[in-house]
Amino acid sequence: MTRRLLPAAALVATASLALAGCAGTTAPGDGQDGGGAVQVVASTNVYGSLAAEVGGDAVEVTSIITSLSQDPHSYEASARDQLTVSQADLIIENGGGYDSFLDGLVDSSGSEAPVLTAVEFSHDFPGAEGHDDHGDDHGDEDHAEGDDHAEGDDHDHAGHDHIEGFNEHVWYDPHTVAHLVEDIAHQLGEIDPANAETFETNAAALIERIDGLETSLEGIAQDHAGDGIFVTEPVPLYLTAAAGLENATPDAFSEAVEEGQDVPPATLLEAQQILRAGDVRAVIVNAQTGGAETTEVVNLADSLQIPVLEFTELMPDGVDYVEWMQQNVDELAGTLTR
């Protein structure tokens, strides 16, 4: 089975294309050397949105992947992408093997711009235990630690490669995103000291909004901790874990779907038995991809009257990161209270 992207027409009903301010339709300019805006290149519009909100008018953001018909796992970079990266002042990637095309662009372009890798800000990332020292406080202490993630000359860190057992979809973890936002502001301030205070102010406002997501998730956990959910791919698991929900999906099922492999018959049977047992409150699918086994699970859930939610990997048009995540949280809460 291949990891099949759904046709663009089928995705319009779920979400349209890119966030307008981060579409990357304009090539980067001269950056700080030319006295212009800081040139930020992001692998996807998710990270482009965060950079645009922190940087405001002082940055020009180019997001390489903005279309729901594109899959970062298999994206083939173009010569234009390489030129874009070569002119960047700051680069933001997900890491963990999710958007490895960007690592290749950094290497081939000879870019010396600092690279922020989102997975390295996750508490679950191997070697990132130091974040636990700060708890839920997104304070200045994290800036010092964040410096280790922003060394522009070191592009060969572990965040570039897929790590067995690690869920790389960290943008669905608001706590990780808050840490990343701090470091975006810190790094932008290093590049453009004249606007450093503005970057910090914008980041603080954004983090306050992200904290609101965590508050909403805590509210779900108070009422629904331990409720079971089934996910066809591990994309939303950070969000559902923060909501106190239990993942009932066999690991072999979600791993096979994510890797574009056939789900073993015994695993598919196990998944069907789990759904029929009556303990799953919702099924969550990746609206951008599909396959035979995913369709079987959705059809079975429908027949059993189990609600099916569709989450995406990229941001829909007309919303920013927090608005997008809040919509996902609200849909999840509404489903569980049916």
Side-chain angles (χ1 to χ4, degrees), residues 8-318:
L11 292 168
V12 170
T14 304
S16 55
L17 295 182
L19 182 69
C22 306
T25 54
T26 302
D30 293 330
Q32 291 306 292
D33 291 339
V38 178
Q39 301 299 312
V40 180
V41 175
S43 61
T44 73
N45 65 356
V46 177
Y47 296 117
S49 171
L50 297 173
E53 192 161 349
V54 173
D57 294 337
V59 304
E60 181 177 343
V61 179
T62 303
S63 299
I64 294 178
I65 295 184
T66 61
S67 170
L68 295 177
S69 65
Q70 295 171 306
D71 184 359
H73 292 92
S74 58
Y75 179 75
E76 295 185 6
S78 67
R80 180 179 176 84
D81 294 332
Q82 182 170 326
L83 176 62
T84 298
V85 169
S86 73
Q87 297 176 336
D89 298 310
L90 176 64
I91 298 168
I92 308 173
E93 66 175 1
N94 185 81
Y98 181 75
D99 44 12
S100 56
F101 71 88
L102 189 52
D103 304 326
L105 287 173
V106 170
D107 292 338
S108 62
S109 69
S111 172
E112 296 184 357
V115 178
L116 295 182
T117 303
V119 296
E120 295 181 3
F121 295 87
S122 169
H123 290 293
D124 293 339
F125 187 73
E129 291 81 1
H131 285 305
D132 294 332
D133 296 337
H134 306 298
D136 292 333
D137 181 16
H138 310 297
D140 291 337
E141 300 95 332
D142 285 335
H143 287 315
E145 184 175 3
D147 290 347
D148 295 333
H149 301 288
E151 296 298 330
D153 294 332
D154 182 11
H155 303 301
D156 295 326
H157 48 70
H160 292 169
D161 300 320
H162 178 73
I163 299 171
E164 191 69 29
F166 174 72
N167 181 6
E168 70 268 23
H169 306 94
V170 296
W171 65 93
Y172 268 96
D173 179 8
H175 196 74
T176 293
V177 172
H179 282 301
L180 174 63
V181 165
E182 282 183 326
D183 231 48
I184 290 173
H186 177 67
Q187 193 61 32
L188 288 176
E190 291 287 314
I191 298 168
D192 183 5
N195 286 302
E197 185 175 348
T198 298
F199 299 145
E200 295 292 344
T201 299
N202 291 346
L206 177 53
I207 289 171
E208 184 176 357
R209 296 177 63 216
I210 292 171
D211 287 344
L213 294 174
E214 297 193 82
T215 300
S216 296
L217 291 166
E218 290 168 1
I220 296 176
Q222 289 177 0
D223 297 330
H224 299 284
D227 284 4
I229 51 101
F230 188 102
V231 299
T232 56
E233 291 189 51
V235 173
L237 286 181
Y238 287 112
L239 200 72
T240 57
L245 306 178
E246 296 291 334
N247 177 25
T249 318
D251 290 340
F253 184 98
S254 54
E255 290 171 2
V257 172
E258 183 181 26
E259 296 297 326
Q261 301 172 355
D262 292 330
V263 175
T267 302
L268 180 59
L269 178 60
E270 180 185 2
Q272 294 169 339
Q273 291 172 338
I274 289 171
L275 293 176
R276 290 191 175 99
D279 297 325
V280 170
R281 298 290 304 278
V283 171
I284 305 176
V285 302
N286 182 350
Q288 289 183 236
T289 63
E293 291 90 348
T294 297
T295 300
E296 284 193 49
V297 164
V298 170
N299 289 341
L300 179 58
D302 287 341
S303 70
L304 296 171
Q305 297 185 329
I306 301 173
V308 177
L309 298 178
E310 292 185 333
F311 284 6
T312 59
E313 297 183 39
L314 297 180
M315 227 164 38
D317 190 26

